[in-house]
Amino acid sequence: MTVRRPARSCNGPTTCWWRGHGPPARQVPAPSPPRTPWRAPDRNGIQEKQEDMRVTHEAPLAPLTTLGIGGPAAALIELYDPTDFPEFVALAGTFPGAPVCLGEGSNVLVGDAGCDSAVLRMSTKGVRVAGTAADGRVLVEVQAGHPLADLVDTTIAEGLTGMEMLVGIPGTTGALPVQNVGAYGQETADTLVEVTAWDWASGRMVALDAAACGLGHRTSVFKHSRRWTLLSLVFALRRSELSAPVTYRTVAAELGVPVGSRVPLDEAARAVLAVRKSKGMVLGCSGADDRSVGSVFLSPEISPAQAERLRALQAPVNRFPDGSIRVSASWLIREAGFALRRPIVRGVRISSLHYTLVAEEGASAAGFTRAIDIVLQEVLRRTGVRLTSEIDFL
């Protein structure tokens, strides 16, 4: 489903429906029993379809990730209707361990042996206005499987600011709080109000407000944890024809405006997209560099003394919303002597456009992991700063 300029049926500005399902009760209900019992899966590569949920045993995962690497899932369950989630809970219990959630696979490295647990591909879609916050911002509820690109386009078309700088980031909306996704001065923590999730530890639905999500710099309570499966999210966005202040020099230069300027939402989005494309950070626009997860490494936190030393070397050092001081990972990789297009291991090299890793013919999960370690060690040796990978390993 593509949500560009949504069809409406309105009873007023805060009850306007865009697309998707009706409003959930504010009390988070326990899921009803499965409408039809699941049979225990066989492992013969067969595909089942029950209601609006598709199950494939021994499903290849590599084609479902942007790196195109990795082995099969014991079972891949594709969920389209959120009311079918109880069936997923029942099926997941027949596999070892907690299930894994996969959106569009744009930040995932699947192991060469694949995954023995059930893998849920969240394909639920829907966006609606859910009310007005106390501060006047518009509350927007989104299904976890809704494409982030559609959500950004929709908010811009509706004159809502808060997500325009996230244009060009791949993935589903449910991935936003997992690592507090952000770019060019905006991040998920700025707008997230609450999430509804299934808690596998307690076996029930829970509603977590933004504070309970533990959002930090590209992290949260959901990062590297299988305890929760996110089902829907609520954001608070401000109605405005103008963007948030443009705080990045590259975006301001693309717009031809001073840093700190506010511009029409669509103009800000176009400028951010142009900057991202120039770095090979937009999927489908990078040619041989398309097998990528974007930024493999976090911009590492550094001490005040390190910041002073690195600023003297003209390194891009910035203070982030969480109060941390960080230096660009790309600058560190370049400073460590890695050239664009440089091969690292078989099937893995530095991008031709940006200082990050990309996969090509012959790549494996073991090789990609080895390439990450090579870059980490060399950056530490040459710069004294330790990088951290931001990829989710499956």
Side-chain angles (χ1 to χ4, degrees):
M1 179 189 297
T2 300
V3 183
R4 295 294 180 191
R5 294 188 179 273
R8 300 184 173 196
S9 67
C10 295
N11 297 317
T14 63
T15 58
C16 181
W17 289 86
W18 294 5
R19 290 282 169 85
H21 302 280
R26 296 306 303 148
Q27 298 284 337
V28 179
S32 56
R35 288 189 291 270
T36 314
W38 285 100
R39 71 173 188 265
D42 61 36
R43 306 298 169 92
N44 298 321
I46 67 169
Q47 188 175 89
E48 305 170 21
K49 189 173 186 302
Q50 183 166 336
E51 306 269 337
D52 288 323
M53 188 160 62
R54 182 178 294 112
V55 182
T56 307
H57 302 294
E58 296 302 321
L61 291 178
L64 303 180
T65 72
T66 55
L67 281 174
I69 293 174
L76 174 70
I77 300 100
E78 297 176 84
L79 185 71
Y80 298 93
D81 186 338
T83 63
D84 288 334
F85 188 75
E87 277 88 341
F88 171 72
V89 173
L91 179 60
T94 67
F95 290 87
V100 179
C101 192
L102 182 70
E104 293 188 2
S106 56
N107 196 50
V108 176
L109 177 60
V110 178
D112 294 317
C115 182
D116 289 335
S117 301
V119 175
L120 171 63
R121 192 177 197 202
M122 191 67 79
S123 298
T124 55
K125 296 178 176 64
V127 183
R128 73 179 188 97
V129 171
T132 305
D135 62 3
R137 288 185 295 172
V138 178
L139 297 176
V140 178
E141 184 179 26
V142 190
Q143 293 297 317
H146 199 90
L148 176 57
D150 264 356
L151 177 61
V152 172
D153 285 351
T154 298
T155 59
I156 291 172
E158 292 294 321
L160 297 172
T161 181
M163 293 186 166
E164 62 274 8
M165 305 298 182
L166 305 186
V167 67
I169 298 177
T172 57
T173 302
L176 288 180
V178 174
Q179 61 180 54
N180 190 19
V181 170
Y184 300 103
Q186 287 180 340
E187 63 180 13
T188 305
D190 299 335
T191 57
L192 185 68
V193 175
E194 70 171 21
V195 303
T196 299
W198 178 261
D199 183 344
W200 293 96
S202 63
R204 63 188 179 93
M205 294 276 192
V206 295
L208 303 174
D209 64 17
C213 294
L215 303 176
H217 181 73
R218 305 301 171 260
T219 192
S220 70
V221 298
F222 311 116
K223 186 76 172 173
H224 306 307
S225 172
R226 296 188 187 180
R227 177 175 173 177
W228 296 276
T229 296
L230 299 184
L231 302 175
S232 65
L233 309 89
V234 176
F235 301 93
L237 305 174
R238 196 168 299 283
R239 200 168 287 286
S240 174
E241 295 181 357
L242 298 179
S243 70
V246 177
T247 57
Y248 276 67
R249 289 185 175 85
T250 50
V251 179
E254 179 70 25
L255 286 162
V257 300
V259 170
S261 300
R262 300 179 67 199
V263 300
L265 293 170
D266 58 346
E267 292 183 16
R270 281 197 296 269
V272 168
L273 198 59
V275 171
R276 291 183 66 88
K277 284 181 179 179
S278 72
K279 296 179 178 181
M281 303 291 278
V282 178
L283 291 176
C285 299
S286 304
D289 290 341
D290 258 351
R291 290 179 64 183
S292 165
V293 290
S295 297
V296 172
F297 303 99
L298 293 169
S299 293
E301 185 172 3
I302 55 177
S303 68
Q306 287 175 311
E308 184 177 354
R309 175 175 64 83
L310 292 170
R311 283 192 177 107
L313 298 173
Q314 304 301 310
V317 175
N318 296 288
R319 186 175 294 276
F320 281 73
D322 65 351
S324 61
I325 302 172
R326 297 177 180 271
V327 62
S328 163
S330 297
W331 185 90
L332 292 170
I333 294 169
R334 184 181 66 182
E335 190 70 8
F338 291 95
L340 296 177
R341 303 181 184 84
R342 172 179 164 178
I344 306 298
V345 300
R346 181 175 181 266
V348 186
R349 60 172 172 82
I350 301 293
S351 165
S352 60
L353 298 170
H354 186 50
Y355 291 91
T356 191
L357 295 173
V358 298
E360 53 188 9
E361 188 68 28
S364 66
F368 205 93
T369 303
R370 176 62 182 149
I372 289 172
D373 188 60
I374 289 170
V375 173
L376 290 177
Q377 296 301 324
E378 189 65 10
V379 167
L380 180 61
R381 186 180 75 83
R382 296 282 292 270
T383 71
V385 179
R386 185 179 298 277
L387 290 173
T388 302
S389 170
E390 62 175 292
I391 297 176
D392 292 324
F393 295 88
L394 190 68

